[in-house]
Amino acid sequence: MKNDLTYYQFSSRQKRAIGKPWHAEIQMQGSYVPVQKDTFPHQIARQLRAMIVDGTLTVNQKLPTEQELASQFTVSRPTIREALKRLAAQNLIRSLRGPTGGTFVNAPSVEEEMDHLASVSTMLVSVGDISIGEISEARQQLEMLCVRLAAEQRTETQLAALAGEIAIQEKLDLTDMDFCASDVRFHRTLVDATHNALLRFLMAAVVEGLQPISNLIVFRYRERKEIIRHHTLILQHLTRRDGEAGALVIAEQMAYLRGHYLKAQAAKQAPQPMIENSDDGAAAHQIL
């Protein structure tokens, strides 16, 4: 990835050229960086994506035709088509047919990008790039910030939603899966109560992406009544608009969960018990 050629690796002169407004079909001679043959579509897509992200290409702006882009990058039209498919898969561009058709830059969707962020976060955990300890540390600091802000900004409707989730969690016949789902909804409502768009976006990685993984690890070890107690206290402090007290409960809950992460990890690493199978009188063993 470090070898990919993006806008941010252009020379100063190239950046100035890119910064010039594109007319009609966006002729930009000399604005593109040559790409390596084995990753043509990938690198072209990254260059165009960088232009979209930094605002060089604006929402609803029309891109050059496939032929014009192929000429700019000195590649074939199928290569350009593959690069555009990658951008379309990220919902960065859309194609329209007809006399006024073409390929246009899409307006970003916050909800779709939140889903994407959550998915990427989950993937990073699955490949080992983010540890459970890092999840716990980041979640504590971010949620403490959220609860302080939510104490000032929350609405009565959001307080009622939090109370509703606690009522669900108190049901004796609630399955583990449904309890974990309610837990995620409780914390998502807490984040929404900040009424801060950036926090809502960033916390998608934590609440929708990483919290379910944490729940999967500890649900056999944690006690529901303790989680419910934490949630009840958080709701009480939000009702009183006491953000600092709410932040202390978040810290307490994360310390509680960290202890159970360690228990789960120790159980996973412990030697598997053996049982003896003597159907034929021989000493055979099976792993439980």
Side-chain angles (χ1 to χ4, degrees):
M1 185 174 292
K2 291 182 180 179
N3 293 325
D4 290 336
L5 301 173
T6 68
Y7 170 80
Y8 302 102
Q9 293 170 291
F10 291 176
S11 67
S12 297
R13 188 169 70 176
Q14 288 169 325
K15 287 183 179 181
R16 286 196 297 272
I18 292 173
K20 295 178 181 178
W22 287 12
H23 63 76
E25 294 298 326
I26 319 177
Q27 301 296 326
M28 293 185 59
Q29 295 295 333
S31 298
Y32 297 103
V33 173
V35 291
Q36 299 175 9
K37 186 174 181 178
D38 59 340
T39 57
F40 279 170
H42 177 68
Q43 293 187 71
I44 291 169
R46 285 184 64 86
Q47 287 194 41
L48 292 173
R49 184 182 188 281
M51 291 177 171
I52 293 171
V53 170
D54 69 20
T56 301
L57 290 171
T58 59
V59 172
N60 295 324
Q61 187 167 356
K62 188 176 182 179
L63 270 63
T65 65
E66 288 182 2
Q67 185 58 53
E68 289 167 336
L69 285 172
S71 176
Q72 293 283 354
F73 284 104
T74 320
V75 296
S76 66
R77 287 182 63 182
T79 298
I80 293 297
R81 197 171 298 124
E82 178 61 29
L84 295 179
K85 284 181 180 179
R86 296 182 182 216
L87 295 176
Q90 300 174 51
N91 201 36
L92 293 174
I93 61 172
R94 68 185 185 280
S95 296
L96 299 177
R97 298 182 181 277
T100 60
T103 303
F104 298 84
V105 177
N106 259 346
S109 166
V110 173
E111 296 301 324
E112 289 180 357
E113 293 304 320
M114 285 171 64
D115 289 342
H116 179 66
L117 181 60
S119 298
V120 170
S121 302
T122 303
M123 186 181 301
L124 291 175
V125 174
S126 69
V127 299
D129 286 345
I130 298 177
S131 70
I132 293 299
E134 289 171 326
I135 293 174
S136 175
E137 182 179 49
R139 180 181 168 188
Q140 176 175 326
Q141 295 303 318
L142 288 170
E143 285 210 55
M144 289 175 70
L145 173 62
C146 287
V147 77
R148 290 188 182 104
L149 190 54
E152 301 174 4
Q153 304 291 341
R154 92 294 185 278
T155 64
E156 293 300 320
T157 299
Q158 287 162 334
L159 292 178
L162 293 171
E165 294 301 336
I166 294 173
I168 291 173
Q169 294 161 19
E170 289 174 334
K171 294 180 179 179
L172 297 178
D173 60 347
L174 192 68
T175 66
D176 289 326
M177 182 180 295
D178 288 339
F179 185 90
C180 290
S182 177
D183 183 32
V184 169
R185 290 194 301 269
F186 181 93
H187 288 272
R188 167 45 62 188
T189 302
L190 171 62
V191 173
D192 290 344
T194 66
H195 294 274
N196 183 292
L198 181 57
L199 274 177
R200 289 187 67 249
F201 177 75
L202 294 175
M203 288 299 289
V206 177
V207 178
E208 280 83 10
L210 304 181
Q211 188 176 335
I213 296 175
S214 303
N215 285 343
L216 184 64
I217 293 171
V218 303
F219 81 93
R220 288 189 178 91
Y221 302 92
R222 71 181 183 184
E223 294 187 29
R224 290 187 182 187
K225 64 180 182 181
E226 192 65 12
I227 300 300
I228 293 171
R229 184 181 71 85
H230 292 147
H231 289 172
T232 302
L233 287 173
I234 291 170
L235 176 58
Q236 290 174 356
H237 294 316
L238 288 178
T239 302
R240 298 167 186 160
R241 298 192 183 277
D242 190 345
E244 290 304 319
L248 291 176
V249 179
I250 293 291
E252 179 187 341
Q253 183 177 78
M254 293 314 304
Y256 173 78
L257 292 175
R258 274 193 295 271
H260 289 289
Y261 294 151
L262 296 176
K263 287 182 181 180
Q265 186 176 28
K268 182 178 180 180
Q269 295 175 348
Q272 294 294 321
M274 309 288 286
I275 60 172
E276 186 173 344
N277 184 349
S278 56
D279 289 343
D280 59 356
H285 292 82
Q286 296 178 331
I287 298 178
L288 281 173

